[in-house]
Amino acid sequence: MAAREILLKANHVRKVFRRGSEEIAAIDDISFTCRRGEFVSFVGPSGSGKTTLINILGCLDNPSRGTVSVGGMTVFNDTTRLSEGELTRIRRCYFGYIFQKFYLVPTLTVMENVLLPLSFYRKEGAAADALPLLNFLGLGQRIHHRPAELSGGEMQRVAIARALINKPEIVLADEPTGNLDTQRSREIGQILRHLNRQEGVTVLLVTHNPLLAAVAQRTIILRDGRIVT
Amino acid sequence: MTKPLSIYRIAFKNLQRKKARSTLTLIGIGLSAWVLTSLFGFNQGYETALNKDIDNMGFQVLLTAKGCPYEAATLMLKGGTGLRYMPESVISDVVRYPGIEKVTPMLMQAVFDPNKGESGGISAYLGVDPASYPQLKAFLSFEQGSWFTDPLGYQAVMGYEAAELEQREIGDKILIPEKNIEFTVVGVLKRSGTQDDGTIFIPIRTLQKEFGQQGKVTALGIKVSKTANIIELENKLYDLPDVQVVSMAQVRETIMSLVSTAKVMVISIALIAILIAILGVINTILMSVFERFQEIGILKSMGAMPADVFRMVWTETVILCLLGGMLGVGLAFGLAKITDFLIRRLLPYAPTGSLVQVNLPLALLILVIVLGIGLISGLYPAWWAARVRPLESIRSEGD
């Protein structure tokens, strides 16, 4: 069977932050490849560079050095820096983001929150998928509710639906269960696994939770800004 | 049901997050718009009312005894014709000038009436010539009766309000206090919206006789022929001894110069109100943008371009300002009478008729101005929001 195409690639990526005269490397010389349909989790202690790495992979941040390509297109290298508008276009096409905090708009209903990204950009048929998506996430009966009327797990599921509404090829989930209890965390893990296995969505997951990390096909451990395994 | 939200709906919903703050800002804009509408309405209304008063006088030039022109102008417009007396013979001097179509003498007399109001008041009587005055005031029409015809009769014509106040109809008697003379009401004028409404007209000869002012008048009303050069005529009239020439153009200028002080004050207040509204809007929207710092970052990570975010925040400002503008214009329409009353108390002289004219073109103009305020106020917050980088908000929760 032929190997699946490479969707994300990072080569010798380094990211340095300055604190006064001191330079701190959040990630250093990281090379990473992710093929279409993979489920990769990143684990490691706080400050190991997990979030910095997926921010760079997700075109939310640029590296200080190294090359990053998405879908075969070079997004960052030592001479190329895309503009904010160009990065937004790439993010629109490829990525859906799930964060620890849900960032739902309190005055919008569940359905309106999910439809929000379509106000700025929409792939064909995206709006029609909203209800089936919410039904799949167990929120079919909650579409007219506002975020304040939902539990933490429900709010995170709304955030997941919002991340998926534009049919992204890659879902980046940064500590998606950080604010949830064990049961809700397990549910989110099952949803991510379903998306990956049944829908073929590529998932990159950052977590401290070993049970959640175990859902992934591949786990990458980071320490002090470097990949350990 | 599954239709994506328009940017306007998102903006509107955003404003609903902090209802109290949005409402207070909206009220601030509304009050500013109200002041602006009323000011502009006053600007239009005052001149219109003044012109109407002047046109309804029936003469373009008034000759009074020499005195303070401001006093003359004010008294004339309030229904008086000056405090000083001129010899009636001045008529024969005046009519000699070319360009004069008609001249009518007037004598104003006032007495204290202890029965007027709660603690008494001044009753004024205007002596007019039954032959010439009605011709100059041809536009006046009667509710009851007609002008008196006997130049020496004891008859009176009452303005609409004067008759209403005194509860008089034709055939009734009115008594001049102090003098104890009775006059029979022979006519009641229809409401004209001018100072004539509150005037009691008496034949001038009778008034001169009863008040011991034979051969004296307080003013001459002069109607100038359409072809005459009014300014040239005014200059010639100044050759007459001890007279004050008050032209309607002068009156207009005099009154407008008096009013301009009040206008400057109101304009200053309006400008301050606009400035406060702008700062209020900037503050509200900027606070809202700061509070949504992370959320704006998430919107951008979802695919919102800087221009989308700019448009969203700008739209919020415009919605706020337009709603405030509509509130203000609505207040201006609804409270025009109260505004009229308040402005009247501020002014040295206020013509009859509506001082504050609020109409549709003015309402639209105000909405355009308020929209402009919104567009200007929203620039900085919208620019600030558009520059938020998604990473900045996301990093704030990272490891």
Side-chain angles (χ1 to χ4, degrees):
Chain A
M1 195 173 104
R4 285 173 293 181
E5 66 175 296
I6 292 172
L7 201 53
L8 269 176
K9 191 171 181 181
N11 255 337
H12 304 293
V13 169
R14 178 182 162 86
K15 178 72 183 180
V16 174
F17 294 105
R18 285 190 178 277
R19 191 179 294 156
S21 58
E22 193 186 2
E23 275 196 350
I24 298 162
I27 53 172
D28 195 10
D29 197 30
I30 284 186
S31 295
F32 164 80
T33 302
C34 176
R35 292 181 182 276
R36 186 180 295 279
E38 268 198 288
F39 191 153
V40 183
S41 64
F42 296 88
V43 294
S46 292
S48 59
K50 310 181 294 291
T51 295
T52 305
L53 178 60
I54 73 157
N55 283 344
I56 289 171
L57 294 173
C59 298
L60 291 169
D61 198 2
N62 46 23
S64 307
R65 211 170 60 207
T67 308
V68 176
S69 62
V70 180
M73 180 170 64
T74 301
V75 181
F76 304 111
N77 63 25
D78 291 339
T79 54
T80 304
R81 285 286 183 277
L82 297 184
S83 68
E84 187 58 36
E86 288 167 320
L87 287 175
T88 303
R89 279 188 199 93
I90 292 169
R91 289 197 293 262
R92 282 173 167 182
C93 291
Y94 285 95
F95 298 102
Y97 304 88
I98 304 165
F99 303 101
Q100 184 174 349
K101 288 186 191 169
F102 320 120
Y103 297 117
L104 302 179
V105 179
T107 48
L108 299 183
T109 63
V110 164
M111 178 59 90
E112 288 169 336
N113 265 290
V114 171
L115 293 171
L116 190 55
L118 307 186
S119 303
F120 309 111
Y121 171 72
R122 81 189 73 134
K123 286 184 183 167
E124 206 180 324
D129 287 346
L131 195 55
L133 185 60
L134 284 167
N135 280 330
F136 161 68
L137 292 166
L139 292 165
Q141 302 301 311
R142 309 287 263 163
I143 56 172
H144 298 302
H145 290 243
R146 295 187 193 280
E149 299 161 343
L150 305 178
S151 68
E154 286 173 323
M155 283 199 266
Q156 188 58 296
R157 278 184 275 153
V158 176
I160 292 173
R162 189 180 60 186
L164 296 174
I165 190 69
N166 251 330
K167 303 174 186 170
E169 296 195 35
I170 307 162
V171 167
L172 299 180
D174 188 0
E175 296 283 9
T177 61
N179 285 336
L180 303 178
D181 61 27
T182 313
Q183 176 58 30
R184 306 300 149 226
S185 299
R186 193 174 295 131
E187 285 172 12
I188 299 299
Q190 285 164 356
I191 290 167
L192 292 175
R193 185 164 58 186
H194 175 91
L195 284 174
N196 174 251
R197 305 234 170 117
Q198 308 301 317
E199 311 291 332
V201 177
T202 306
V203 181
L204 299 189
L205 168 70
V206 166
T207 183
H208 280 103
N209 183 341
L211 286 175
L212 187 62
V215 175
Q217 296 156 338
R218 182 155 65 111
T219 299
I220 291 174
I221 302 171
L222 284 103
R223 186 168 296 129
D224 299 329
R226 287 173 179 270
I227 291 177
V228 180
T229 58
Chain B
M1 166 94 173
T2 52
K3 217 173 132 195
L5 297 160
S6 71
I7 206 96
Y8 306 103
R9 192 163 160 74
I10 298 171
F12 188 70
K13 293 264 184 177
N14 282 337
L15 288 172
Q16 291 179 324
R17 291 183 193 208
K18 303 274 181 184
K19 284 199 176 88
R21 189 171 62 195
S22 297
T23 307
L24 285 173
T25 312
L26 200 133
I27 290 170
I29 300 164
L31 290 177
S32 304
W34 175 38
V35 171
L36 263 186
T37 313
S38 302
L39 171 72
F40 283 28
F42 167 68
N43 207 29
Q44 286 182 358
Y46 192 92
E47 286 203 56
T48 310
L50 186 61
N51 287 338
K52 191 181 164 200
D53 266 14
I54 287 168
D55 292 345
N56 284 351
M57 293 195 75
F59 36 80
Q60 294 95 359
V61 178
L62 192 80
L63 212 64
T64 63
K66 210 164 195 123
C68 169
Y70 290 95
E71 186 183 66
T74 308
L75 278 170
M76 185 178 68
L77 280 161
K78 283 201 162 168
T81 46
L83 294 174
R84 295 154 198 265
Y85 299 100
M86 297 184 294
E88 204 172 346
S89 57
V90 78
I91 297 175
S92 51
D93 297 330
V94 169
V95 291
R96 282 204 294 270
Y97 287 103
I100 287 181
E101 197 175 307
K102 278 192 181 73
V103 176
T104 188
M106 286 172 278
L107 176 72
M108 171 65 82
Q109 291 297 304
V111 292
F112 181 75
D113 183 351
N115 298 320
K116 198 171 184 178
E118 282 179 9
S119 51
I122 298 289
S123 285
Y125 303 90
L126 183 65
V128 295
D129 173 24
S132 57
Y133 191 81
Q135 288 178 12
L136 285 172
K137 293 270 190 174
F139 52 86
L140 289 177
S141 53
F142 280 81
E143 186 82 14
Q144 297 174 336
S146 61
W147 283 107
F148 33 73
T149 46
D150 180 0
L152 293 167
Y154 283 78
Q155 294 171 328
V157 166
M158 299 182 83
Y160 184 87
E161 280 169 15
E164 205 174 51
L165 189 74
E166 304 264 340
Q167 296 282 301
R168 293 289 191 275
E169 292 187 343
I170 56 166
D172 290 350
K173 303 281 186 195
I174 53 168
L175 180 78
I176 298 184
E178 288 183 14
K179 305 283 172 191
N180 281 327
I181 325 156
E182 274 193 338
F183 287 83
T184 307
V185 179
V186 294
V188 175
L189 294 170
K190 276 189 178 169
R191 190 188 287 280
S192 64
T194 67
Q195 76 275 6
D196 292 331
D197 287 347
T199 306
I200 299 172
F201 300 91
I202 304 284
I204 189 166
R205 293 272 172 265
T206 311
L207 202 66
Q208 283 171 330
K209 185 179 139 202
E210 293 298 338
F211 280 82
Q213 304 289 356
Q214 284 94 336
K216 290 179 185 169
V217 294
T218 46
L220 287 187
I222 300 168
K223 188 177 182 186
V224 182
S225 68
K226 285 193 174 70
T227 51
N229 183 333
I230 199 159
I231 295 167
E232 211 171 278
L233 178 67
E234 278 170 27
N235 289 334
K236 280 183 185 165
L237 286 172
Y238 268 116
D239 295 342
L240 294 168
D242 297 327
V243 295
Q244 178 75 43
V245 182
V246 184
S247 76
M248 293 310 113
Q250 277 176 359
V251 170
R252 193 178 283 119
E253 273 176 33
T254 307
I255 301 293
M256 289 315 285
S257 73
L258 285 172
V259 170
S260 64
T261 316
K263 268 190 185 174
V264 166
M265 192 179 74
V266 182
I267 285 171
S268 310
I269 295 168
L271 286 176
I272 292 168
I274 289 173
L275 195 66
I276 291 171
I278 288 177
L279 291 176
V281 173
I282 293 176
N283 180 52
T284 299
I285 301 294
L286 209 53
M287 287 272 285
S288 155
V289 166
F290 288 162
E291 282 166 6
R292 290 182 285 150
F293 170 64
Q294 290 184 319
E295 196 182 292
I296 289 168
I298 299 297
L299 286 180
K300 292 182 100 177
S301 76
M302 284 179 203
M305 297 290 255
D308 294 324
V309 176
F310 187 95
R311 199 153 53 97
M312 183 183 77
V313 176
W314 218 20
T315 306
E316 285 172 29
T317 323
V318 168
I319 289 174
L320 202 59
C321 286
L322 275 182
L323 289 177
M326 284 192 262
L327 173 74
V329 169
L331 279 175
F333 270 109
L335 302 176
K337 283 206 162 72
I338 294 171
T339 315
D340 194 296
F341 171 75
L342 292 174
I343 291 178
R344 246 170 228 286
R345 294 186 60 183
L346 281 174
L347 296 175
Y349 162 72
T352 45
S354 176
L355 281 189
V356 181
Q357 273 185 8
V358 186
N359 47 33
L360 192 63
L362 177 62
L364 291 174
L365 174 71
I366 296 300
L367 286 179
V368 168
I369 291 174
V370 176
L371 180 67
I373 291 173
L375 291 173
I376 292 167
S377 312
L379 276 176
Y380 178 67
W383 174 79
W384 195 92
R387 281 178 62 242
V388 169
R389 294 180 61 212
L391 174 72
E392 290 169 28
S393 58
I394 292 153
R395 190 178 274 164
S396 65
E397 61 161 20
D399 60 12

